[in-house]
Amino acid sequence: MQLIFLGTGAGAPSRNRNVSSLALRLNQSSETWLFDCGEGTQQQILKTHVTLHNISRIFITHLHGDHIFGLPGLLCSRSLQSASTKPLTIYGPRGLRSYLSTSMTVSQTTLSYPLDIREMIPLQQGTVFSIFEDDRLEVLSGALLHHIESFGFAIAEKPKVGRFRIDLAKAQGVPEGPIYGQLKRGQDVVLEDGRRLIAKNFVEPDDLGDKVVILGDTRPCPASVTLAQDATILIHEATFSSRDQALANVSAHSTAHEAALIAKEAHVKKLLMTHISARYQTSGQDTQDDLLAEARTIFPETDLVNDFYEIDV
């Protein structure tokens, strides 16, 4: 998997940061999944190697404008640029279907591909639920804590069974055939000569797979920790510094300090902070470097990302 940050700002675009959008490329299938689609997202996409044709799923965290105002235009461009017939599925909060239906009706837009809109019903705080699953991945979601319905998403690779070590079996004189199959399935075997073969000695440990967690706008809440538990990468908003805690409380956003606490409590491997307020520039009383330093005092494995930042998972 590969993450491409298309917009890392908060509220409104600035000179250095566009509003929220993030692409996740799935290397095995050449698909791209999009998370949020703020105004100008398709312009940002044109500056990357992401293609609209390959976007197969879009996940909307919540319906604030800086997360959805680019969606109608992107859907139209996907239709116009390639006359794509590939289906597109969009997941998001209640009201998403009405928003898109109104946009398409008023603009008299007809798409060239099937569009499936799936609105999610929030469950009790801290509860997560599955919204997508195939043979490789599962996507879990949970309701966060914001002024309107806001969701987080966890994209988890399914465990891969450990590789059977044929070289070890041959070295110990294990006869080829059904015995190999038994050992692969984790069954211990007693040979005719009386030797007992322990299956785990011939099979590499299972690969638990990677987990990427993308949270929408939120105050710290139980669902954040539940979704982020043991994540390879946690992407968390850090709209404010702790110096502006009062603003974070009123606007229902998180500080860099709070994002780091979530990462620490959930035992994630790496924290990437995004959704940065334009008040934090490269100079002044509080800067982006200050936000990063604030988080790293709690969780050292933290980076603050900019537009077009890319990372392989």
Side-chain angles (χ1 to χ4, degrees):
M1 294 186 286
Q2 183 185 41
L3 291 162
I4 305 106
F5 288 81
L6 301 169
T8 58
S14 66
R15 289 181 180 274
N16 299 317
R17 296 181 183 275
N18 199 49
V19 287
S20 294
S21 188
L22 167 65
L24 175 66
R25 298 184 74 199
L26 308 177
N27 297 329
Q28 291 183 340
S29 63
S30 298
E31 289 181 75
T32 298
W33 292 357
L34 198 65
F35 293 82
D36 285 336
C37 189
E39 182 182 358
T41 291
Q42 59 177 317
Q43 289 290 335
Q44 297 289 90
I45 285 175
L46 291 174
K47 300 172 186 176
T48 71
H49 45 277
V50 174
T51 61
L52 297 182
H53 178 71
N54 286 333
I55 296 176
S56 59
R57 299 180 190 275
I58 300 177
F59 300 83
I60 300 298
T61 61
H62 64 293
L63 300 185
H64 277 155
D66 58 320
H67 294 256
I68 64 165
F69 280 170
L71 187 53
L74 183 140
L75 297 182
C76 294
S77 293
R78 186 179 187 268
S79 186
L80 292 170
Q81 289 183 4
S82 61
S84 176
T85 58
K86 280 187 177 181
L88 176 63
T89 304
I90 307 181
Y91 307 80
R94 292 172 292 185
L96 178 62
R97 181 178 289 106
S98 175
Y99 169 68
L100 290 176
S101 175
T102 300
S103 298
M104 298 299 160
T105 299
V106 171
S107 62
Q108 299 185 29
T109 298
T110 301
L111 301 179
S112 64
Y113 52 85
L115 180 63
D116 182 10
I117 301 172
R118 303 185 184 183
E119 294 185 340
M120 301 182 297
I121 306 299
L123 301 180
Q124 182 180 357
Q125 265 289 330
T127 303
V128 302
F129 51 95
S130 179
I131 61 171
F132 172 79
E133 185 174 6
D134 63 13
D135 59 346
R136 297 180 297 113
L137 298 168
E138 183 175 18
V139 180
L140 301 173
S141 186
L144 305 177
L145 186 59
H146 197 43
H147 286 316
I148 62 174
E149 286 181 1
S150 184
F151 291 90
F153 300 100
I155 304 92
E157 289 184 323
K158 292 187 174 180
K160 299 175 184 177
V161 177
R163 183 174 65 91
F164 179 65
R165 294 290 303 276
I166 295 178
D167 56 330
L168 295 180
K170 287 183 176 180
Q172 295 193 31
V174 179
E176 295 186 29
I179 293 177
Y180 277 20
Q182 290 176 273
L183 293 173
K184 286 181 184 178
R185 293 190 294 272
Q187 301 171 5
D188 296 344
V189 175
V190 178
L191 299 179
E192 292 182 357
D193 61 11
R195 284 187 296 154
R196 181 177 180 84
L197 304 178
I198 307 302
K200 67 179 182 180
N201 294 336
F202 295 89
V203 180
E204 293 181 348
D206 290 349
D207 181 357
L208 298 180
D210 289 308
K211 178 180 177 183
V212 174
V213 177
I214 301 165
L215 301 184
D217 291 3
T218 187
R219 293 288 300 136
C221 63
S224 297
V225 178
T226 302
L227 283 168
Q229 196 66 43
D230 300 317
T232 310
I233 293 178
L234 168 62
I235 298 157
H236 197 295
E237 68 135 296
T239 309
F240 297 106
S241 75
S242 57
R243 185 191 293 270
D244 294 317
Q245 184 68 60
L247 286 175
N249 294 341
V250 169
S251 61
H253 284 294
S254 295
T255 65
H257 176 93
E258 290 168 330
L261 289 175
I262 295 292
K264 183 177 181 179
E265 184 177 354
H267 305 288
V268 308
K269 292 182 180 178
K270 190 171 189 64
L271 168 64
L272 299 180
M273 298 192 304
T274 185
H275 203 270
I276 309 302
S277 171
R279 68 176 53 231
Y280 306 106
Q281 303 297 329
T282 55
S283 62
Q285 186 177 31
D286 287 312
T287 68
Q288 296 173 24
D289 288 342
D290 293 327
L291 291 178
L292 184 57
E294 177 180 305
R296 282 181 172 174
T297 58
I298 299 165
F299 191 77
E301 290 300 317
T302 300
D303 281 326
L304 188 152
V305 297
N306 298 304
D307 289 11
F308 307 116
Y309 176 90
E310 297 186 10
I311 184 171
D312 291 323
V313 184

